[in-house]
């Protein structure tokens, strides 16, 4: 069940809940306020204009991952690198338990929300839950007209079906979801002089003590631990049936440890990587991105580092012996160390 402004939300837009929410005056005002917030930049190192994360306890989540955190253990939790993906925050108003995910497909929404809610709701179906959605943009031209030769995916793009599925799932579930921020699609779109669309923000961060959500981006040093392996899980999980329809397990709420759950891939990934590694940067963008013109400058470099790892380690058992998770605990300097 969705609430807006403390009142149960009922759609009058011919059953299209997402469209009705996008037009709701309270959420439009909240989106305008969110747009005016300066983007926070995070790094492990002391740099001008950036928040130094080693002064705080933080959790970073990649695409396809989720993490549920206890504010007693974690100060910040966030994600970025979203173009057509959506960052979701669900926070229990009473105890501050906060779950964040980086949703990348409508196919993982139903199970993904159940995973996120497991420790946030804690068997209390009457819990009041604040919800924030940030990400996705108008990746289809507003002037796009339908033709018989075009697939529905081409007409809808990637962002709209994902946002629609998330809102539909929240609307039909029994929990009490108080939507506070809906910064998606048109709200999160800017256009250049030629009319090309880009996301305004690519990420978010939550202050767990207060529930404050702000736009955020993270540099490579703060996207840790185990960056490359976690990125590979995102691109290779489709070969592992145990992750079908699910968000990737990453962080253990009870122990405050990163437990990078195992993911298997075939030797085929080595040959795919060898082929892709030979392409030019522009060809990689066109082949590997849902929104080539909107990706960050390090998008291609991140992919090349993944392919290099897969070429050197084609057998997933080298990375996850006996299917055991890769476990990391907090180090004295505020970072992470392998157990």
């Amino acid at each position: 069940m969705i609430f807006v402004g403390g009142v149960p939300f009922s759609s009058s837009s011919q059953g299209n809940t997402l469209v009705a929410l996008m037009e709701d005056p309270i959420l439009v005002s909240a989106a305008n306020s969110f747009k005016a917030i300066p983007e926070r930049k995070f790094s492990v190192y002391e740099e001008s204009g950036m928040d130094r994360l080693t002064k705080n306890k933080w959790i970073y989540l990649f695409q396809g991952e989720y993490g549920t955190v206890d504010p007693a253990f974690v100060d910040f939790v966030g994600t970025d690198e979203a173009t057509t993906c959506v960052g979701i925050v669900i926070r229990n108003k009473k105890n501050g338990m906060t779950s964040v995910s980086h949703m990348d497909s409508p196919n993982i929404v139903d199970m993904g929300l159940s995973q996120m809610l497991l420790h946030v709701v804690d068997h209390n179906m009457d819990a009041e839950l604040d919800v924030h959605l940030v990400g996705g943009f108008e990746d289809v031209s507003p002037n796009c007209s339908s033709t018989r030769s075009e697939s529905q995916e081409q007409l809808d793009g990637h962002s709209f079906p994902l946002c629609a599925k998330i809102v539909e799932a929240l609307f039909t579930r029994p929990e009490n979801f108080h939507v506070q921020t809906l910064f998606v699609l048109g709200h999160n779109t800017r256009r250049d002089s030629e009319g090309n669309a880009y996301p305004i923000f690519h990420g978010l961060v939550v202050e767990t003590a207060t529930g404050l959500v702000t736009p955020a981006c993270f540099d490579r040093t703060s996207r840790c631990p185990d960056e490359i392996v976690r990125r590979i899980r995102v691109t290779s999980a489709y070969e592992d049936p145990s992750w079908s329809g699910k968000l990737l397990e990453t962080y253990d709420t009870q122990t405050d440890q990163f437990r990078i759950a195992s993911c298997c891939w075939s030797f085929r990934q080595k040959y795919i990587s060898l082929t892709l590694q030979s392409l030019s940067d522009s060809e990689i963008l066109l082949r590997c991105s849902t929104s080539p013109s909107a990706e960050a400058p390090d998008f291609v470099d991140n992919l090349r580092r993944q392919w290099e790892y897969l070429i050197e380690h084609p057998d997933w058992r080298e990375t996850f012996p006996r299917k055991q998770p890769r476990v990391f605990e907090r180090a004295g300097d505020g970072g992470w160390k392998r157990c």
Side-chain angles (χ1 to χ4, degrees):
M1 181 183 296
I2 289 178
F3 292 76
V4 176
V7 178
F9 186 81
S10 61
S11 172
S12 59
S13 184
Q14 299 181 340
N16 194 325
T17 308
L18 174 59
V19 171
L21 283 172
M22 292 286 293
E23 297 172 347
D24 183 88
I26 294 175
L27 292 179
V28 169
S29 176
N32 289 333
S33 297
F34 189 84
K35 185 189 299 185
I37 300 174
E39 183 179 63
R40 296 187 69 173
K41 297 176 171 60
F42 289 91
S43 176
V44 167
Y45 300 112
E46 193 79 60
E47 293 187 37
S48 176
M50 303 191 78
D51 291 281
R52 190 179 181 188
L53 279 169
T54 49
K55 297 177 180 178
N56 304 281
K57 294 182 178 180
W58 87 100
I59 296 296
Y60 178 83
L61 299 164
F62 284 99
Q63 177 180 336
E65 294 183 339
Y66 84 101
T68 301
V69 304
D70 185 332
F73 297 145
V74 178
D75 301 314
F76 295 101
V77 55
T79 186
D80 69 347
E81 299 188 308
T83 54
T84 57
C85 300
V86 176
I88 305 178
V89 178
I90 302 177
R91 182 177 186 271
N92 188 315
K93 290 185 178 185
K94 184 176 181 181
N95 59 24
M97 292 293 289
T98 303
S99 192
V100 175
S101 72
H102 187 133
M103 295 272 192
D104 60 359
S105 167
N107 298 330
I108 63 172
V109 170
D110 289 325
M111 182 67 75
L113 286 175
S114 294
Q115 291 173 276
M116 294 177 70
L117 290 165
L118 181 62
H119 293 299
V120 172
V121 173
D122 195 25
H123 307 296
N124 179 13
M125 297 301 291
D126 295 325
E128 303 296 319
L129 308 172
D130 281 340
V131 176
H132 304 263
L133 305 180
V134 178
F137 72 112
E138 289 184 338
D139 54 322
V140 174
S141 168
N143 299 319
C144 176
S145 58
S146 121
T147 68
R148 289 189 178 183
S149 63
E150 290 174 314
S151 69
Q152 192 60 46
E153 181 176 325
Q154 288 174 314
L155 294 175
D156 290 343
H158 296 274
S159 298
F160 185 86
L162 176 57
C163 292
K165 177 61 179 177
I166 293 169
V167 166
E168 173 198 349
L170 295 174
F171 190 72
T172 56
R173 289 188 67 105
E175 295 89 357
N176 300 323
F177 298 108
H178 294 260
V179 179
Q180 306 292 349
T181 308
L182 188 65
F183 197 76
V184 300
L185 301 175
H187 295 318
N188 189 35
T189 301
R190 62 180 177 85
R191 296 186 183 276
D192 62 19
S193 59
E194 297 179 356
N196 299 309
Y198 305 89
I200 297 172
F201 298 125
H202 293 259
L204 60 85
V205 69
V206 190
E207 291 186 21
T208 60
T210 63
L212 178 65
V213 177
T214 56
C217 65
F218 299 77
D219 71 2
R220 184 178 293 178
T221 67
S222 58
R223 295 174 182 148
C224 61
D226 221 11
E227 177 204 0
I228 295 300
V229 170
R230 289 166 66 189
R231 288 187 184 278
I232 288 171
R233 290 197 314 165
V234 175
T235 56
S236 303
Y238 73 91
E239 289 194 322
D240 188 337
S242 65
W243 292 114
S244 178
K246 297 179 182 178
L247 290 165
L248 293 164
E249 303 278 355
T250 303
Y251 171 78
D252 189 290
T253 309
Q254 307 300 325
T255 63
D256 187 34
Q257 292 179 324
F258 267 95
R259 300 182 67 85
I260 315 300
S262 68
C263 176
C264 60
W265 55 82
S266 69
F267 279 88
R268 177 169 166 264
Q269 291 295 327
K270 175 179 178 178
Y271 302 106
I272 293 173
S273 298
L274 284 167
T275 300
L276 293 173
Q277 194 74 289
S278 68
L279 300 178
S280 67
D281 288 2
S282 59
E283 289 174 319
I284 290 171
L285 274 170
L286 290 173
R287 281 207 187 188
C288 302
S289 173
T290 58
S291 51
S293 63
E295 296 293 357
D298 60 353
F299 176 81
V300 172
D301 180 59
N302 289 334
L303 287 175
R304 290 195 184 281
R305 290 188 297 126
Q306 294 172 58
W307 298 332
E308 182 179 349
Y309 184 96
L310 286 167
I311 292 167
E312 293 179 0
H313 306 279
D315 188 344
W316 65 270
R317 288 168 292 193
E318 294 179 36
T319 305
F320 295 104
R322 301 181 304 281
K323 278 199 168 185
Q324 292 302 301
R326 295 164 65 91
V327 182
F328 295 79
E329 63 183 12
R330 294 192 185 276
D333 61 358
W336 298 91
K337 63 180 181 181
R338 182 92 180 265
C339 293

